């Protein structure tokens, strides 16, 4: 038996934010990030709609790009004092993910961060509050997923929280918000969405309910992402829907080791002045992981199906996989994303010498590989890597060398 879970209601299209005024309740807290929602007027609109619904409103702002355990606990303390019956999270994946974790702590004060990290072990929610997610970026799809990613800065590790309990009750997918994305963010979130869809399609947990969502998302991202990156707002609007479809797929089919590796490399080199941004990490690692997974015959056939839907050609599955890898690498070039960690600059752009020194990478490699294997996303990958294979794969992602094992 399998399970397929999505928000009860999903409002989509330009102007969908207005549906906030139809909520029933007494108090709402809005969780936002670094200020773009305020600067662009969406925070004020959301607050006004909630007040129109008759609610008292409190705002938790300033959630950082990779939300920390401390931010989660501080936000939960505000909720405990204010006692909202609606939690409204808006912005990129970070404030929405942080708000999900705050929600757990608010409803269950005894729950530690370690408790939250137990896969599908979160206690029942919705005794105190319901949850609305409103994305402003077109990538994470956290508005429809059972996942959140929180960073433990003491350990330099990103931890995925996974449980259907944290699937939002309502998602509002309003393309007006996505039109404010800067170019770099459009690229990174777009490749995050492409990775979600491809990993969901080849996941060992894929099913008839998730496959159509994954495939259509891939087709849409192929058609729209580059134009969206280059400023076409009609394409930007379509990408907002495409990433949501990818999220519906992966929330139920789960992911694979592209995400495991991205989670465990994202913050581990922070002492050298930067993070490897999640979407860029996915973009760099995806071609390598496809080559690794394609040694599994079932996965190879499914990558071949993806290539067919993308009209990439190839007379057999080996050629189709090679064409898919080449296409994704070309997308990275078109989006100004590096192909490997060695060439990943502190600003995320390609450079001859990236911010992660080779000797530091090699020194930390065994621990990164061990943590990646232990990541919640590894279990549904079509090919289970050993410690040695994960280290070799991560080396390929550092040096941009061929995966031949």
């Amino acid at each position: 038996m399998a399970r397929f879970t999505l928000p009860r209601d999903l409002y989509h299209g330009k102007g969908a934010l207005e549906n906030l005024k139809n909520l029933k309740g007494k108090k709402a807290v809005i969780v936002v990030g670094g200020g773009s929602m305020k600067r662009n007027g969406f925070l004020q609109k959301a607050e006004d709609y909630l007040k129109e619904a008759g609610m008292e409103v409190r705002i938790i702002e300033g959630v950082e790009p990779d939300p920390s355990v401390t931010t989660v606990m501080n936000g939960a303390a505000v909720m405990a004092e204010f006692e909202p019956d609606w939690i409204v999270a808006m912005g990129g994946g970070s404030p929405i993910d942080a708000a999900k974790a705050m929600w757990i702590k608010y409803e269950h004060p005894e729950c530690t961060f370690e408790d939250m990290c137990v896969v599908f072990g979160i206690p029942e929610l919705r005794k105190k509050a319901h949850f609305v997610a409103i994305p402003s970026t077109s990538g994470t799809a956290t508005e429809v997923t059972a996942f959140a990613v929180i960073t433990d800065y003491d350990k330099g590790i990103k931890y995925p929280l996974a449980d259907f309990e944290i699937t939002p009750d309502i998602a509002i997918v309003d393309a007006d918000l996505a039109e404010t994305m800067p170019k770099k963010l459009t690229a990174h979130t777009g490749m995050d969405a492409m990775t979600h869809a491809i990993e969901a399609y080849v996941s060992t947990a894929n099913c008839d309910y998730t496959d159509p969502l994954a495939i259509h998302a891939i087709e849409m991202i192929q058609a729209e992402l580059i134009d969206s990156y280059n400023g076409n707002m009609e394409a930007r609007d379509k990408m907002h829907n495409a990433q949501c479809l990818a999220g519906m797929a992966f929330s139920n089919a789960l992911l694979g080791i592209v995400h495991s590796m991205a989670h465990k490399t994202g913050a581990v080199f922070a002492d050298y002045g930067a993070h490897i941004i999640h979407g860029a990490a996915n973009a760099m690692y995806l071609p390598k992981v496809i080559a690794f997974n394609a040694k599994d015959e079932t996965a190879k056939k499914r990558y071949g199906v993806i290539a067919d839907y993308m009209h990439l050609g190839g007379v057999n599955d080996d050629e189709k996989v090679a064409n898919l890898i080449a296409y994704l690498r070309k997308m990275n070039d078109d989006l100004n994303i590096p192909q490997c960690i060695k060439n990943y600059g502190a600003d995320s752009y390609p450079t001859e010498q990236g911010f992660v020194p080779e000797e530091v990478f090699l020194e930390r490699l065994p621990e990164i590989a061990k943590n990646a294997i232990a990541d919640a996303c590894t279990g549904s990958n079509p090919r289970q890597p050993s410690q040695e294979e994960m280290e070799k794969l991560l080396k390929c992602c550092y040096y941009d060398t061929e995966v031949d094992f």
Side-chain angles (χ1 to χ4, degrees):
M1 186 181 76
R3 178 174 175 177
F4 186 86
T5 300
L6 295 174
R8 184 183 185 279
D9 293 302
L10 192 154
Y11 299 100
H12 57 95
K14 293 167 80 70
L17 187 65
E18 189 176 357
N19 285 284
L20 287 175
K21 70 182 184 184
N22 299 320
L23 299 183
K24 302 286 190 287
K26 294 178 180 177
K27 291 182 178 181
V29 66
I30 304 175
V31 181
V32 291
S36 65
M37 292 297 92
K38 181 184 283 188
R39 286 193 303 275
N40 291 297
F42 295 114
L43 175 58
Q44 188 63 56
K45 278 188 177 180
E47 187 176 357
D48 291 345
Y49 287 139
L50 291 166
K51 287 180 176 175
E52 192 176 338
M55 286 193 241
E56 185 183 346
V57 180
R58 179 80 58 89
I59 296 169
I60 298 172
E61 53 189 327
V63 175
E64 67 270 52
D66 294 288
S68 65
V69 178
T70 302
T71 294
V72 167
M73 298 306 168
N74 289 343
V78 172
M79 292 181 188
E81 184 271 321
F82 184 59
E83 299 186 330
D85 40 21
W86 282 100
I87 298 168
V88 178
M90 64 188 303
S94 296
I96 298 175
D97 282 4
K100 286 181 176 181
M102 292 172 194
W103 185 24
I104 301 167
K105 186 69 175 176
Y106 168 50
E107 298 239 0
H108 296 279
E110 75 287 353
C111 205
T112 65
F113 181 65
E114 289 70 26
D115 294 333
M116 295 181 195
C117 293
V118 176
V119 176
F120 294 100
I122 292 169
E124 186 179 352
L125 301 180
R126 297 168 179 80
K127 304 285 195 202
K128 296 180 181 178
H130 286 77
F131 195 98
V132 183
I134 309 165
S136 65
T137 61
S138 302
T140 71
T142 188
E143 73 275 6
V144 293
T145 76
F147 302 101
V149 178
I150 305 298
T151 302
D152 184 333
Y153 283 91
D154 292 336
K155 297 179 180 177
I157 295 176
K158 296 184 178 185
Y159 288 96
L161 314 185
D163 197 296
F164 288 116
E165 284 297 322
I166 58 171
T167 303
D169 298 288
I170 296 173
I172 296 178
V173 184
D174 186 334
D176 284 336
L177 280 71
E179 292 186 2
T180 66
M181 278 194 299
K183 198 167 185 177
K184 181 165 77 172
L185 190 59
T186 302
H188 293 163
T189 55
M191 288 306 292
D192 192 19
M194 180 64 99
T195 306
H196 289 156
I198 291 175
E199 288 210 292
Y201 192 74
V202 301
S203 158
T204 57
N206 74 75
C207 68
D208 290 339
Y209 292 85
T210 59
D211 284 353
L213 293 164
I215 288 294
H216 190 52
I218 291 166
E219 291 177 316
M220 289 182 73
I221 295 165
Q222 179 187 22
E224 309 298 345
L225 177 54
I226 303 301
D227 286 345
S228 172
Y229 173 73
N230 289 321
N232 181 320
M233 287 304 156
E234 186 179 345
R236 183 78 56 88
D237 297 352
K238 290 177 180 175
M239 270 300 301
H240 210 41
N241 290 334
Q243 65 85 30
C244 188
L245 295 174
M248 293 178 187
F250 92 77
S251 186
N252 293 279
L254 308 179
L255 290 165
I257 59 172
V258 178
H259 273 76
S260 303
M261 293 155 65
H263 291 150
K264 275 27 183 187
T265 53
V268 77
F269 305 109
D271 52 331
Y272 282 82
H275 282 207
I276 301 176
I277 296 170
H278 179 72
N282 284 337
M284 292 190 294
Y285 307 161
L286 179 59
K288 301 290 186 283
V289 170
I290 290 173
F292 175 80
N293 284 341
K295 305 293 190 293
D296 174 272
E297 285 301 316
T298 301
K300 180 161 69 173
K301 281 184 170 49
R302 291 186 76 80
Y303 287 129
V305 172
I306 290 172
D308 286 342
Y309 274 99
M310 294 175 73
H311 306 289
L312 301 182
V315 298
N316 56 44
D317 286 330
D318 288 320
E319 285 190 11
K320 290 173 185 179
V321 169
N323 291 346
L324 176 60
I325 289 170
Y327 187 92
L328 293 168
R329 289 177 63 88
K330 174 67 163 53
M331 284 189 83
N332 287 347
D333 288 340
D334 290 344
L335 296 167
N336 209 16
I337 295 173
Q339 298 292 355
C340 63
I341 299 170
K342 181 169 70 76
N343 300 132
Y344 185 95
D347 58 2
S348 84
Y349 292 122
T351 183
E352 191 161 330
Q353 182 54 58
F355 84 94
V356 181
E358 180 181 23
E359 65 276 11
V360 173
F361 174 80
L362 293 173
E363 178 191 339
R364 299 181 187 182
L365 177 60
E367 187 71 12
I368 294 169
K370 183 183 83 170
N371 289 333
I373 290 170
D375 188 88
C377 295
T378 299
S380 47
N381 194 70
R383 185 181 171 198
Q384 289 298 301
S386 66
Q387 174 76 18
E388 181 187 4
E389 287 169 336
M390 181 59 83
E391 288 187 26
K392 287 171 70 176
L393 187 55
L394 283 160
K395 280 185 179 178
C396 291
C397 292
Y398 185 86
Y399 295 109
D400 192 21
T401 49
E402 187 178 350
V403 178
D404 57 2
F405 53 92

